[in-house]
Amino acid sequence: MTFTSSDVVACSADSLQFYSAAAQSSGHSFRVRGGLTAVIQGTHSFPSAAQLLVVAAFSSCIRSDLFSMLAAQHSSLAGVHQSCRQHQHNQPCRQHQPNRPRRHASALHACISLADTHHGLSQAPSFGGEGDPNLRPELFIHTWRFTALVILGFFKAENDSTCEIFGSPEIPLLSKEGDITIGGAFSIYSQISMSSLSEYETSEPFRCSRINLREFRFVQTMIFAIEEINNSSVLLPNVSIGYRIFDSCGSTRAVMGLINGVEKTLSKNCSSIHVIIGASESSSTIAMQQISGVFQIPMISHFATCACLSNRKEYPFFFRTIPSDYYQSRAIAKLVKHFGWTWVGAVRSDNDYGNNGMATFIETASQEGICVEYSETISRTGSREHVERVVRMMRRGTARVLVAFLAQGEMDVLLEEVLSQNLTGLQWVGSESWITANYLAKKRYSGILTGSLGFAIRKAKITGLQEFLLKVNPSQDPQSNLLREFWETTFGCRFQSSMPGTKLCSGFERLQDTDNAFTDVSELRISNNVYKAVYAVAHALHGMLKCGPSGDSVAHSCILKDHLEPRQVAKQLQNVNFTLQSGEQVYFDENGDPAATYELVNWQRNHAGDIVFTTRPLSICSENCLPGFRQAIIKGKPICCFSCVPCTGGEISNINNSAECAQCPLEYWSNVDHSKCVPKVIEFLSYGETMGALLTAFSLCGASLTLVVLCVFVRFRHTPLVKASNSELSFLLLLSLTLCFLCSLTFIGQPTEWSCMLRHTAFGIAFALCISCILAKTVTVVMAFKAKRPANTVHQCSAPLQRTSVLGCTLIQVFICVIWLAFAPPFPHKNTVYASEKIILECFLGSPIAFWVVMAYIGFLALLCFIFAFLARKLPDNFNEAKFITFSMLIFSAVWLTFIPAYVSSPGKFTVAVEIFAILASSFGLLFCIFAPKCYILLLKPERNTKKQLMGRNQSKTQ
């Protein structure tokens, strides 16, 4: 592949023969075209990350120290260095000696840059940054995936101290001579036309066209600042500043044109400029700085924001007046987080500006809990199909917020396709490169960009700039093609045209009547950066050119006594610190960066045309999880995509998007919404609930019925039936049954310390008294009918003996209960184990053994009753109540045997209900089985309540 361009400085024919041999020895082919063009073609790949500097710029000798610095960047150059020293006249290069004429001053006049894939040149790159469209086709000539830009310089001067350029120098677009020259590189032309592959043999492989009015304003701002400084009597008095301005559409051509100058022969210093202002894009700036940095020429960029340029090891001579994207990317991430947008899409320019800025944004966004649904690249020179695919992805995506880290060129390409596919409804968040571009706010894009948010460089007012811009006219420099093209573009006319109907320019058109990006000074942001850059150079030079102890500038001759080295300017730039007329302070930190300050910009217009804020849209992958729910990660999805899972019982979440649910304290439970903890429901068998009310009613009914029976027995106490039933034991039995019915009431209601001790002991003693009475009655009946002699019967069935037996059996139960209460009494207990959602308030037994001993004793008495009643089953029917006692004991035993498993297995208050039911059932069983037949005779069959009737059946059997 052949690279040809007028900015490649050619060598003499005899030197080229040597360079061809050197290139072939390193595995490359070297070809000469017409004596003015040298081409190096690779036959194998360069080492990765190498920055090959192939230098063929030799006179009889070159300055050894400078070439050694270049050759050190690649080991293969060492041999070339040694060969070159021996080639020219077979004499070694002489070192520069102090106090000796510089016979070999800076012989190197050009260099080559970028064979490194670090800047994406291993692919078909799209170089362009924050400003306007710009391709760098001259930066990549890749064979077997390597790139090398060859710049050849030849200087003849064996006996003189001058540098001579071979080839045609690049002519600046605008220039002015001065004592000190400042170079400028701006993306003046925004459209690139590529030649076909077969046309690379020509001298113009690409063509830049279509003037960018915004960039041209930057150019005029630089000229305005220089003129302002030249007219100042305070800053750089007696010193004039000149300028040379190039279009950075071809960044290497621009930097070589700046370094070479327009003179065929240069003295003193082989660099024609002392500092470069530019470029407008990060990628262009990187390419230019890697060339100019070899010559230690400082660069001050007004628009290159890539954070990579803050690396002082790689770019020691770089400065800028615009903050690094290190701050902007993080600020955008925090802005997105501030509005609650956790699900965003992202597009970026496929260059250093976009890739580095977006990488920082994504890193910060992940730390802020923001997820990026997609991240796509846009290249202004890429295929339309790629842009269409990106826009389709934006349409299919669910993110409603788009972070666009795009240069203006890529933004134009993307907007046209978005407009073509009618994609609306997105909230755009932009970078500083386009967020303040007024032309985007026009009606054509209003339906797309309404509401766009982003950070912009602080706006400033530059006094006198608008008047200066309005005076720009082609008559200022009739030879300038740039001024004529600007005029033609602004007014839509042509100075010369052979086509009929074409409007001709007169040169007297008024810029005051136009409204475009050039004349609009309402948003002076980047222009102010250019202004600050020029003044930073002026202050640095002012500090260097002060002579004498008084510090005042001296005569012009004194200033030029010692020529100004660019590296000295770079050193002084690091220390500048001044304040503009607007009050803004300008200085650089250790990385060459200014202080990072931004303004938040929102593009909205109401009916009056004023900028207003509107309601922010919602852009999330998943709906917010409300209180009472927690986030659950969906497998295979980003962390911003989640499902909402309700908190389980006893857990709450009281904020949106809670990552987990919090457990409530032991005595608290979650409410219905699981949004807060509330005290647990305390459960016990109360009088107010249905079950408690029914059991209370049955208990009172049983007690009342027992008292009624007692009254009946008292009323008929002198009748034979009552006397035969042992009236004293019957009265005592009825009284104990009444207590049994009433003791069930102690189980109902909120347990207290006294109620817990009373309920089980009262129950145990009442039933022991009841069963003791029944046992005494049964034993009396059995003894009366089984006795062989009446005397013994009277003694065994005496009332004192009956009372003693009843009292004795009851006292045993009393003794057990006293021991129970003394050592392990029952007490109220909050049971949180059985049911986690509520507290069961119950009476803890204290000693389960004591409880079961009480129950066992009652069971023992009941068993004795059953045995004695069974023995008396064949006694005379008319007088025999043993069979009723037997039947009552069967019911009693069945109830309490059933009670045991039911008591153990019943939960909460139902345990108490089972116990009450057992008490009432057994009490009713005893009452009805023993006293119902007698009440039937006493109340309904009084004729059978006679001694004769009671003894009748027995007498009939004896007769």
Side-chain angles (χ1 to χ4, degrees), residues 588-620:
F588 302 104
D589 63 13
E590 64 275 6
N591 296 320
D593 294 329
T597 55
Y598 295 97
E599 290 180 350
L600 181 61
V601 176
N602 175 239
W603 286 103
Q604 290 291 337
R605 294 190 181 276
N606 56 18
H607 297 293
D610 300 326
I611 295 177
V612 295
F613 286 89
T614 59
T615 305
R616 61 184 175 91
L618 187 65
S619 181
I620 54 178

Side-chain angles (χ1 to χ4, degrees), residues 1-3 31 39-41 140-143 197 200-201:
M1 183 177 294
T2 302
F3 177 79
R31 184 159 57 90
V39 181
I40 287 184
Q41 291 183 310
F140 57 97
I141 302 174
H142 55 290
T143 303
L197 186 63
Y200 270 94
E201 294 293 332

Side-chain angles (χ1 to χ4, degrees), residues 118-231:
H118 173 67
H119 300 300
L121 298 183
S122 61
Q123 303 174 0
S126 171
F127 275 85
E130 305 81 295
D132 299 296
N134 198 356
L135 177 67
R136 308 289 175 264
E138 76 281 8
L139 288 181
F140 57 97
I141 302 174
H142 55 290
T143 303
W144 303 102
R145 296 176 62 83
F146 82 88
T147 305
L149 169 65
V150 183
I151 303 170
L152 302 174
F154 176 79
F155 301 92
K156 66 176 253 193
E158 173 63 26
N159 298 317
D160 56 28
S161 57
T162 60
C163 299
E164 183 174 345
I165 301 176
F166 286 82
S168 300
E170 287 287 332
I171 305 300
L173 297 177
L174 294 171
S175 64
K176 179 181 179 180
E177 295 301 320
D179 299 328
I180 298 172
T181 305
I182 299 177
F186 301 88
S187 300
I188 299 174
Y189 293 101
S190 58
Q191 185 173 356
I192 300 170
S193 302
M194 295 292 297
S195 301
S196 63
L197 186 63
S198 61
E199 293 176 332
Y200 270 94
E201 294 293 332
T202 67
S203 61
E204 293 293 339
F206 66 94
R207 181 175 179 273
C208 300
S209 60
R210 197 175 73 179
I211 190 171
N212 186 307
L213 297 180
R214 187 189 189 202
E215 289 285 332
F216 189 65
R217 170 160 44 89
F218 299 162
V219 172
Q220 293 299 324
T221 302
M222 174 180 170
I223 297 174
F224 168 76
I226 291 175
E227 295 296 338
E228 198 174 57
I229 293 169
N230 287 338
N231 295 328

Side-chain angles (χ1 to χ4, degrees), residues 3 24-25 60 73 121 131 206 376 390 404 441 448 651 653 672 720:
F3 177 79
Q24 292 174 358
S25 66
S60 59
Q73 298 192 30
L121 298 183
F206 66 94
E376 295 294 328
V390 172
I448 301 172
E651 294 183 342
S653 64
V672 177

Side-chain angles (χ1 to χ4, degrees), residues 436-735:
T436 56
N438 288 343
Y439 75 94
L440 295 179
K442 59 187 179 182
K443 189 175 181 180
R444 175 178 174 83
Y445 301 121
S446 61
I448 301 172
L449 297 178
T450 298
S452 296
L453 279 170
F455 287 102
I457 309 305
R458 290 181 59 182
K459 183 168 60 175
K461 181 177 178 59
I462 303 176
T463 305
L465 177 62
Q466 185 174 27
E467 292 76 10
F468 181 84
L469 295 177
L470 295 177
K471 292 179 182 179
V472 174
N473 192 282
S475 61
Q476 293 177 339
D477 186 359
Q479 304 302 319
S480 174
N481 293 328
L482 177 61
L483 289 177
R484 287 198 302 272
E485 187 173 351
F486 158 71
W487 203 261
E488 292 174 347
T489 301
T490 301
F491 295 103
C493 58
R494 292 289 182 269
F495 281 100
Q496 294 179 352
S497 177
S498 59
M499 297 183 62
T502 303
K503 179 183 177 181
L504 295 178
C505 299
S506 65
F508 296 101
E509 292 84 359
R510 287 166 46 88
L511 287 175
Q512 290 87 341
D513 299 332
T514 63
D515 182 15
N516 55 31
F518 178 77
T519 58
D520 183 12
V521 294
S522 61
E523 296 287 333
L524 292 181
R525 303 178 189 272
I526 310 303
S527 297
N528 188 51
N529 289 344
V530 177
Y531 187 77
K532 290 189 292 185
V534 175
Y535 267 86
V537 173
H539 279 272
L541 295 173
H542 187 83
M544 295 172 60
L545 301 180
K546 287 183 177 180
C547 302
S550 63
D552 295 330
S553 293
V554 295
H556 191 83
S557 59
C558 175
I559 296 171
L560 300 180
K561 182 181 297 183
D562 293 323
H563 81 277
L564 222 55
E565 293 284 351
R567 65 174 179 270
Q568 296 173 339
V569 179
K571 182 178 180 181
Q572 191 65 28
L573 275 172
Q574 187 66 63
N575 300 323
V576 297
N577 193 330
F578 61 94
T579 303
L580 294 173
Q581 293 181 357
S582 61
E584 184 177 358
Q585 188 177 9
V586 180
Y587 63 92
F588 302 104
D589 63 13
E590 64 275 6
N591 296 320
D593 294 329
T597 55
Y598 295 97
E599 290 180 350
L600 181 61
V601 176
N602 175 239
W603 286 103
Q604 290 291 337
R605 294 190 181 276
N606 56 18
H607 297 293
D610 300 326
I611 295 177
V612 295
F613 286 89
T614 59
T615 305
R616 61 184 175 91
L618 187 65
S619 181
I620 54 178
C621 179
S622 300
E623 292 293 333
N624 290 333
C625 290
L626 299 176
F629 294 83
R630 66 174 178 85
Q631 295 178 350
I633 297 176
I634 301 175
K635 187 176 181 181
K637 295 285 187 178
I639 60 173
C640 297
C641 299
F642 49 82
S643 58
C644 296
V645 178
C647 296
T648 59
E651 294 183 342
I652 64 163
S653 64
N654 52 12
I655 59 174
N656 287 337
N657 296 325
S658 177
E660 57 184 15
C661 298
Q663 186 71 40
C664 288
L666 183 61
E667 295 189 359
Y668 287 81
W669 193 252
S670 55
N671 61 354
V672 177
D673 298 330
H674 294 274
S675 59
K676 65 178 181 179
C677 292
V678 295
K680 288 182 179 179
V681 176
I682 299 178
E683 182 181 89
F684 56 89
L685 187 60
S686 65
Y687 294 102
E689 58 183 297
T690 303
M691 183 183 298
L694 288 175
L695 292 176
T696 301
F698 278 108
S699 176
L700 295 176
C701 181
S704 301
L705 188 58
T706 304
L707 292 177
V708 170
V709 173
L710 178 60
C711 293
V712 171
F713 268 61
V714 171
R715 171 68 178 78
F716 296 99
R717 64 184 179 278
H718 300 296
T719 61
L721 182 60
V722 176
K723 290 181 178 180
S725 300
N726 197 334
S727 59
E728 186 176 346
L729 288 178
S730 295
F731 294 151
L732 188 58
L733 176 58
L734 289 170
L735 182 60

Side-chain angles (χ1 to χ4, degrees), residues 293 361 426 649 761 784 828:
F361 167 78
L426 291 179
T761 54

Side-chain angles (χ1 to χ4, degrees), residues 230-248:
N230 287 338
N231 295 328
S232 173
S233 60
V234 177
L235 190 61
L236 291 177
N238 303 323
V239 178
S240 64
I241 300 178
Y243 55 84
R244 290 193 178 95
I245 296 173
F246 284 83
D247 175 30
S248 63

